[in-house]
Amino acid sequence: MDNEPLIYIDGEFYPKSQAKISVFDHGLLYGDGVFEGIRAYKGSVFKLKEHINRLYQSAHAMMLQAPLTKEQMTEAVLETLRKNKMKDAYIRLVVTRGVGDLGLDPRKCPKASVIVITGAIVLHGNEAKENGITTFVSWVRRHPVDATSHEIKSLNYLNSVMAKIEANMAGADEAIVLDKAGFVSEGVGENIFVVKNGKILTPPVCSGALPGITAQVVTKLAQKLGYEVVESNLTPYQLMNADEAFFTGTAAEIVPIREVNKRQIGDGKPGSVAKKLIAAFQKVVADPKEGVKI
């Protein structure tokens, strides 16, 4: 137990085996909560301020009152990393509605709960960055923005889980989801970009895509490298006929796509744009000025 990682729950630290929440927590019962996936690189938490801001924006949209200020939430993340002596980590920051009863009414939950987990995550290893991954366009559609919007990074990820199951069954590495109009939205937990004739295109948030923090970083890097980046509706046809395609996300970082529904993308290998962006991204995450020191 002495070697177990410590988990932060509501101001206390618990060994992993003892870190528990109530079965009456509405985060468990109804997916009623929000979260952020965050990364620390070389002793600095990358874009922590931006992640904290997005967490509170998600909470505001679903009228969830976080029990900590932004400053206190930031310190909870940093202290958890310090307790676990971690300089490189994947961080899962969760705010649930808290303990209530078996009814839906959130007024029965007097206080929200905060959980911070620090560990490691590998969605796609170095081989994926070198060779690209295969994808499958799922029948599962992304929720429209007038429904359970994916702009809110909530604990309810059933939409994405179902699409991931479809990709697994199809033998693909990852799934791509469309919006209700049939346009490309995103991956199950990543934003998507395509390159065509030297221009970089990415779906708008009105497709149901999450406003990705990594996507924003990659957009700025691409512009610095001289590429035009345009938010645009993308059809599956445009995706299949792209010169390049790649995912971005905190957990995924930047991962080239070599195949969509058995259709080869470009020459079937990571393209020059993706390679340049991966190299530029590695430099940015190593810059302590881009994050908060642990």
Side-chain angles (χ1 to χ4, degrees):
M1 190 178 298
D2 290 341
N3 295 323
E4 284 189 87
L6 296 174
I7 313 298
Y8 174 102
I9 304 177
D10 295 331
E12 301 291 336
F13 289 93
Y14 301 89
K16 180 181 177 180
S17 61
Q18 297 181 14
K20 299 176 176 63
I21 62 167
S22 169
V23 294
F24 287 94
D25 190 294
H26 275 214
L28 168 66
L29 292 175
Y30 299 111
D32 187 5
V34 295
F35 79 96
E36 284 290 320
I38 312 168
R39 274 191 187 268
Y41 297 92
K42 298 181 179 179
S44 180
V45 184
F46 186 61
K47 298 296 182 184
L48 180 56
K49 180 180 178 181
E50 289 81 354
H51 280 287
I52 294 292
N53 285 340
R54 189 171 66 178
L55 180 81
Y56 279 78
Q57 289 168 3
S58 292
H60 175 72
M62 57 190 288
M63 300 188 76
L64 170 59
Q65 182 64 49
L68 302 177
T69 65
K70 288 183 180 181
E71 292 74 19
Q72 290 170 331
M73 195 74 75
T74 297
E75 183 56 30
V77 170
L78 298 174
E79 184 60 21
T80 306
L81 288 163
R82 294 183 198 120
K83 289 278 188 181
N84 288 300
K85 297 182 174 62
M86 288 184 169
K87 293 184 177 180
D88 295 273
Y90 177 77
I91 304 144
R92 179 58 57 88
L93 173 58
V94 181
V95 182
T96 80
R97 188 78 66 175
V99 176
D101 61 15
L102 294 178
L104 280 169
D105 194 343
R107 294 175 298 181
K108 300 293 183 65
C109 305
K111 186 179 180 181
S113 285
V114 176
I115 301 166
V116 184
I117 305 168
T118 58
I121 190 171
V122 179
L123 293 189
H124 307 288
N126 290 331
E127 184 179 344
K129 289 183 173 62
E130 293 172 2
N131 301 320
I133 62 172
T134 61
T135 61
F136 174 80
V137 177
S138 174
W139 65 268
V140 179
R141 298 297 178 96
R142 180 58 82 224
H143 293 146
V145 294
D146 57 349
T148 308
S149 172
H150 269 63
E151 289 176 90
I152 299 173
K153 198 168 175 65
S154 80
L155 297 179
N156 189 334
Y157 255 52
L158 180 60
N159 188 255
S160 288
V161 171
M162 290 177 65
K164 183 65 175 181
I165 290 170
E166 291 299 310
N168 292 344
M169 293 177 66
D173 297 316
E174 197 58 278
I176 293 171
V177 291
L178 309 179
D179 67 14
K180 65 178 181 180
F183 293 109
V184 175
S185 177
E186 58 182 353
V188 296
E190 310 92 357
N191 292 104
I192 190 167
F193 291 78
V194 304
V195 182
K196 188 67 176 180
N197 298 326
K199 182 186 292 186
I200 301 176
L201 308 172
T202 190
V205 292
C206 63
S207 69
L210 180 76
I213 290 170
T214 303
Q216 292 166 16
V217 172
V218 168
T219 295
K220 291 179 180 178
L221 288 175
Q223 291 168 340
K224 285 183 179 179
L225 290 170
Y227 295 103
E228 181 183 3
V229 183
V230 179
E231 284 194 358
S232 172
N233 284 329
L234 293 170
T235 65
Y237 173 89
Q238 288 175 295
L239 175 60
M240 292 172 183
N241 285 284
D243 298 327
E244 296 183 44
F246 54 89
F247 283 131
T248 68
T250 296
E253 298 179 313
I254 303 174
V255 179
I257 298 169
R258 72 170 188 267
E259 183 182 286
V260 177
N261 287 48
K262 303 299 182 180
R263 280 81 163 175
Q264 179 177 292
I265 302 299
D267 62 3
K269 300 176 182 177
S272 60
V273 176
K275 288 179 179 178
K276 289 177 184 177
L277 288 171
I278 289 171
F281 185 75
Q282 289 173 343
K283 291 180 181 178
V284 168
V285 299
D287 185 352
K289 291 185 293 186
E290 296 291 338
V292 177
K293 186 177 180 181
I294 297 171

